[in-house]
Amino acid sequence: MGTVTLGVSIAVPEPYGSSLQELRAGFGDVAAHGIPTHVTLVPPTEVAADRLPAVRAHLAAVAAAGRSFAMRLAGTGTFRPLSPVVFVQVVEGGPGCTRLQGQVRDPQGPLDRELSFPYHPHVTVAHGISEEAMDRAYSELEDYEAEWICSGFALYEQGSDGVWRKLREYPFGSGASGVPAQLGSVTDSSAPAGAGEATVRRS
């Protein structure tokens, strides 16, 4: 049946997700428009296509037991020289992200995998571009701030065109309103609608 490449992440809500995506594209990152703005929980992972139902069931169980938590972004950081990445920092909500990614990557579950680097929640705004462009991203977004309530996460699949498309949203608990919507994202018909409350400041 073949394999699929999956990822699990927390969406940065609109209008901030698409705003950061456009800024990323403006820095020269050609992959920007194929990657909805997010905080990674599980990086790109290849799994057998027939394991997708088990993945969905596992994520639903993790989400059902989850609770919403506050997220706040502020300032920039970089993984250089180990990795050519500039990011906006997660300054509130990091422990929630760390706990959640551990549950999603449960060694007994279908998304168990080793990470190349220790888990560090962040929002990538430049990857694999020139040093000059990454310096510009780091400088221009150093005063960026945004905050929202994380009420769930989502499962994405990378297509053969390199674009990441949302397969399904997983809101926390039975009363959660859903994952924040993002412009241009594709969801299946069974995914719940809804958007999280968010504020942003950029000086």
Side-chain angles (χ1 to χ4, degrees), residues 139-145 201-203:
S139 176
E140 290 188 12
L141 290 173
E142 63 182 357
D143 294 324
Y144 187 90
E145 293 188 34
R201 295 183 295 276
R202 185 180 178 211
S203 51

Side-chain angles (χ1 to χ4, degrees), residues 75-89 120 122 125-126 131 134-135 138:
T76 47
T78 182
F79 293 132
R80 294 181 290 175
L82 292 178
S83 182
V85 172
V86 171
F87 55 87
V88 175
Q89 299 188 68
H120 181 90
H122 64 281
V125 291
E131 290 294 323
M134 285 195 284
D135 288 343
Y138 187 94

Side-chain angles (χ1 to χ4, degrees), residues 42-109:
V42 176
T45 301
E46 189 173 288
V47 302
D50 62 3
R51 294 288 289 159
L52 192 53
V55 169
R56 290 177 180 268
H58 171 62
L59 295 179
V62 171
R67 299 182 63 181
S68 298
F69 56 92
M71 293 280 291
R72 185 164 70 90
L73 310 179
T76 47
T78 182
F79 293 132
R80 294 181 290 175
L82 292 178
S83 182
V85 172
V86 171
F87 55 87
V88 175
Q89 299 188 68
V90 174
V91 297
E92 184 176 357
C97 295
T98 300
R99 179 175 62 253
L100 187 58
Q101 66 87 30
Q103 294 168 343
V104 172
R105 291 192 305 107
D106 185 335
Q108 304 305 314

